[in-house]
Amino acid sequence: MLSAHLTYLIKAQEPVADLSRLAEHLPYEWIEHAVRATGTASLRRRRLPAEQVVWLVIALAMYRHWSISEVLDGLDLALPSEDAPFVSKSAVTQARQRIGEAPLAWLFGRTARAWTRQDAARHAFKGLSLWAMDGTTLRTADSPANREHFGAQGYASGRVASYPQVRAVTLTAIPTHLIADINFGRYDTNEMVYAKGLLPQIPEDSLTVFDKGFLAAEILCGLTMGGHNRHFLIPAKSNSRWEVISGTADDATVRMRVSPQARKKCPALPEFWNARAIRTIDARGRERVLLTSLGDRRRFKPADILACYERRWQIETSYCELKQSMLGAELTLRSRTVEGVYQEIWGALIAYNLIRREIASAAWEAKLEPTDISFVRALHTIQHEMMWAALTPAYAKLPACLKRLRERLKSLPNEKRPGRTCDRVVKSRPHRYTVRFLKKNLN
């Protein structure tokens, strides 16, 4: 079974540099600590103890088009038993319900902190680590519990979306696409609320790029005032107003007033806040004004700041990798219960970060950027190697298997065509069935 292979590797005495392995990034001890810290450790011997269920939830995200039984049997995650060679579906459901979401949430936090810290210095921008913050949504199964807890999008016509939705805001490392932290929950909760909760997690000596929807003094001032050398970069809205203090029309220091409503909500906010306004022309010839707290004009040139903002779209790519590539563009998540949805999302985030962690390590060894390696092909390679590891009876063969995994990842560069651009457009979903219109009888 996979966890036993990982446990063997952790206890092995070979130097870490000689083995490229998944357990290097997700040690089995972390999983054991997660179930102990959250009080979900199994008290008696089971076919599916808590540690195995954690791995099962993570694997369900990597093998999205497989049923739970196929994932369980294919990766040999259940402990062996002569009396019952197969685990029933009800037993798997009960096992997931026993551990809940807490161990997965704890494990995500532990792994995200460790993995993002490894690359902070490698991909810094003039001494600052690069981050992006944005929001996304996930559809859940249309069960009464999910609809009541998460809610759904409402339309001007009065209609409500067909499926409940989870709203989420993530903090993502731009160079590696690793998700450092996330806040998610009800759909009707404003993204600003989720974003405000992520501010304490942004490290010092950093630059965070925001979407213009987060242009608010509470967010941006909260970022700069709440830590040392933490900076923001965000495009101005068409209705943004300010007073020019110094500089030129293309690169000026401006002062903006904080609204009385914002100061009433957060008394710590100042009456005015300053920013640097840079007027630029992007690659498509559109004029844009970028607001930033990077005030040193000699160190941070307008062209450098524009290049940083263009990299903001990496967070959109990470959403595509997570929702489209890894989760298979499925209409909804698997779970029909609220706690199951939370558990599934935490497992998917760990799985995504585990793949991205392997890609970053392979890229570092091959002297490439992490974004130069194809995520889809890396996912398929890791899926294949996990299956191979589960079917290999001899533990001694696994180090060579996982070393081969790293070598394969280094040979999977993205084939980017020079000069190719893909406009962001929204296309209507085609109707699956014919729409029948009934004519009224006018006679």
Side-chain angles (χ1 to χ4, degrees):
M1 60 201 156
L2 181 59
S3 59
H5 289 303
L6 294 174
T7 305
Y8 172 83
L9 284 178
I10 294 166
K11 294 178 180 179
Q13 298 301 316
E14 293 93 353
V16 172
D18 295 336
L19 297 176
S20 301
R21 61 205 187 207
L22 293 173
E24 174 186 335
H25 305 307
L26 185 54
Y28 194 69
E29 281 86 348
W30 289 5
I31 300 178
E32 291 179 328
H33 196 173
V35 297
R36 292 197 189 108
T38 55
T40 54
S42 299
L43 300 180
R44 64 184 179 90
R45 182 176 177 80
R46 300 177 183 271
R47 292 291 311 279
L48 282 174
E51 294 83 358
Q52 302 297 107
V53 180
V54 169
W55 258 116
L56 172 62
V57 175
I58 297 172
L60 286 175
M62 290 190 181
Y63 298 86
R64 183 61 179 87
H65 294 305
W66 288 16
S67 68
I68 294 179
S69 299
E70 288 174 325
V71 174
L72 189 66
D73 296 337
L75 298 183
D76 198 17
L77 290 173
L79 296 181
S81 173
E82 295 181 358
D83 299 332
F86 299 103
V87 180
S88 65
K89 292 182 179 180
S90 60
V92 177
T93 301
Q94 293 171 9
R96 290 185 60 190
Q97 291 173 347
R98 279 197 303 271
I99 71 167
E101 63 160 312
L104 278 301
W106 187 97
L107 187 61
F108 169 78
R110 178 68 177 86
T111 54
R113 287 191 299 272
W115 294 342
T116 55
R117 197 179 301 128
Q118 292 181 26
D119 295 293
R122 294 178 182 175
H123 305 283
F125 165 70
K126 297 183 182 294
L128 302 176
S129 56
L130 289 176
W131 307 87
M133 186 180 292
D134 205 353
T136 187
T137 59
L138 292 165
R139 287 186 295 264
T140 74
D142 190 12
S143 66
N146 286 345
R147 188 169 287 276
E148 179 181 0
H149 180 81
F150 294 110
Q153 182 179 6
Y155 302 99
S157 62
R159 298 177 59 189
V160 181
S162 301
Y163 294 92
Q165 292 168 287
V166 178
R167 187 183 296 280
V169 174
T170 65
L171 176 67
T172 300
I174 291 178
T176 60
H177 292 190
L178 282 163
I179 300 175
D181 206 350
I182 184 172
N183 273 341
F184 63 93
R186 289 186 57 86
Y187 180 82
D188 58 8
T189 301
N190 194 287
E191 286 185 346
M192 304 292 280
V193 176
Y194 291 135
K196 185 178 177 182
L198 292 177
L199 294 181
Q201 308 306 320
I202 299 177
E204 297 182 344
D205 301 312
S206 62
L207 172 62
T208 305
V209 189
F210 294 88
D211 180 72
K212 65 180 178 181
F214 295 94
L215 180 54
E218 186 177 8
I219 297 295
L220 303 181
C221 291
L223 171 67
T224 56
M225 295 165 54
H228 171 71
N229 202 26
R230 301 197 305 177
H231 297 277
F232 63 82
L233 176 59
I234 188 170
K237 297 180 180 179
S238 59
N239 60 350
S240 298
R241 297 292 180 268
W242 54 69
E243 174 189 356
V244 177
I245 299 176
S246 62
T248 64
D250 294 332
D251 190 352
T253 300
V254 300
R255 183 174 72 168
M256 290 171 281
R257 181 184 296 274
V258 180
S259 67
Q261 295 84 355
R263 295 190 67 198
K264 183 177 181 180
K265 185 187 300 184
C266 184
L269 290 176
E271 184 178 358
F272 296 94
W273 61 289
N274 295 347
R276 180 181 172 191
I278 301 173
R279 193 176 303 274
T280 64
I281 304 296
D282 63 17
R284 299 177 185 175
R286 298 173 301 183
E287 185 179 278
R288 189 190 303 274
V289 177
L290 300 177
L291 300 175
T292 181
S293 56
L294 298 172
D296 190 339
R297 290 185 172 87
R298 289 187 176 181
R299 184 181 178 190
F300 302 103
K301 306 293 184 183
D304 297 332
I305 293 177
L306 176 61
C308 276
Y309 177 76
E310 294 293 343
R311 297 182 67 183
R312 188 198 79 81
W313 301 111
Q314 296 291 336
I315 193 172
E316 303 287 357
T317 304
S318 73
Y319 291 151
C320 179
E321 293 168 346
L322 172 63
K323 294 163 54 175
Q324 306 296 322
S325 300
M326 193 181 80
L327 297 182
E330 291 289 340
L331 185 61
T332 69
L333 299 174
R334 295 176 187 259
S335 304
R336 298 186 63 84
T337 65
V338 173
E339 189 170 40
V341 169
Y342 280 96
Q343 183 191 76
E344 185 176 351
I345 292 175
W346 289 121
L349 293 170
I350 297 171
Y352 174 78
N353 274 358
L354 182 58
I355 297 169
R356 269 288 159 198
R357 178 68 262 152
E358 276 295 326
I359 290 175
S361 298
W364 175 256
E365 292 182 4
K367 295 180 173 55
L368 298 171
E369 291 296 322
T371 52
D372 290 338
I373 295 179
S374 168
F375 177 85
V376 174
R377 295 187 65 186
L379 169 63
H380 294 167
T381 301
I382 290 175
Q383 288 172 332
H384 170 78
E385 298 295 350
M386 288 179 68
M387 286 293 299
W388 193 93
L391 298 174
T392 303
Y395 290 160
K397 295 181 181 179
L398 189 60
C401 166
L402 294 177
K403 184 176 182 179
R404 186 173 65 254
L405 164 63
R406 188 73 57 79
E407 294 300 323
R408 285 186 179 180
L409 291 181
K410 290 190 290 186
S411 66
L412 302 177
N414 278 318
E415 297 178 358
K416 299 179 181 179
R417 286 178 260 178
R420 184 189 182 201
T421 60
C422 299
D423 295 333
R424 301 182 72 214
V425 296
V426 177
K427 295 184 179 180
S428 60
R429 183 186 293 262
H431 291 288
R432 185 175 180 182
Y433 301 105
T434 306
V435 178
R436 178 181 296 175
F437 296 95
L438 300 177
K439 296 182 179 179
K440 293 183 178 180
N441 189 354
L442 302 179
N443 297 331

